[in-house]
Amino acid sequence: MIKFNGIHKSYQTGNSSLHVLKGIDLEVTSGEMVAVMGSSGSGKSTLLNIIGLLDVHDGGDYYLDGKLVKDLNETKAAQLRNKHLGFVFQSFNLISFKNAVENVALPLYYQGITRRKRNKIAMEYLEKVGLLPWSDHLPNELSGGQKQRLAIARALIGNPKVILADEPTGALDSVTSQEVMELFTQINKSGITIIIVTHENDIAHQTQRIIRLHDGKIEKDHKNGHFVPHTEFAKTI
Ligand code: ADP
Ligand code: MG
């Protein structure tokens, strides 16, 4: 589903350059549920944003669903995002003046689906995440956990193959975090690939695979407790 061969990324600020990703080799297959860990500033969000076509790498090759991601203009990137990807963020990123059903329906607006049909489909997704009674409420009338479930419904409505979640439980208490993780687990069981950035061990351990970033490289990659060999490593054996 996702393949990185020697991905590099640097940020230019003024005259200085910050080398954030220093040759990442990574393969995530369809249906996996993966956690990305690492200290603050280790490049977790950068990695996720490159996977999500929200940022561009400047070295190496990235294949999304078997296709090389290269020289995409914003229109093409948006098309690929709509087709393949759903996003969930720590800060929910809901539209404050739109109610729950309108927030969930928003991705369908960009697909040119009529308002009536959009809202009907959005109600089905609200039901999936247990928010049907809250459909006409504004985000600020919802709890943190409800907001994140709403954001997950919005991520699901485009029927994505992959969900990318950047610290989705970072703003939630432990009980609510657990509810959100249960929802992700259920979504993953339906076949959707999920990549979750987190710095909480108990969150990461609810996935099948933990990738640890350190100093711009993958320091560890364990799936069900076993070491996952990487291209670089495979070449040496
Ligand atoms: P993490 O999510 O692991 O905390 P990030 O990927 O957000 O780390 O950031 C990695 C490093 O890159 C940090 O030092 C951060 O300050 C820097 N960085 C991230 N985004 C930008 C940007 N758009 N411009 C300049 N520097 C950035
Ligand atoms: Mg981050």
Side-chain angles (χ1 to χ4, degrees), residues 44-46 166-167 197:
K44 304 182 296 297
S45 294
T46 302
D166 197 346
E167 311 220 16
V197 165

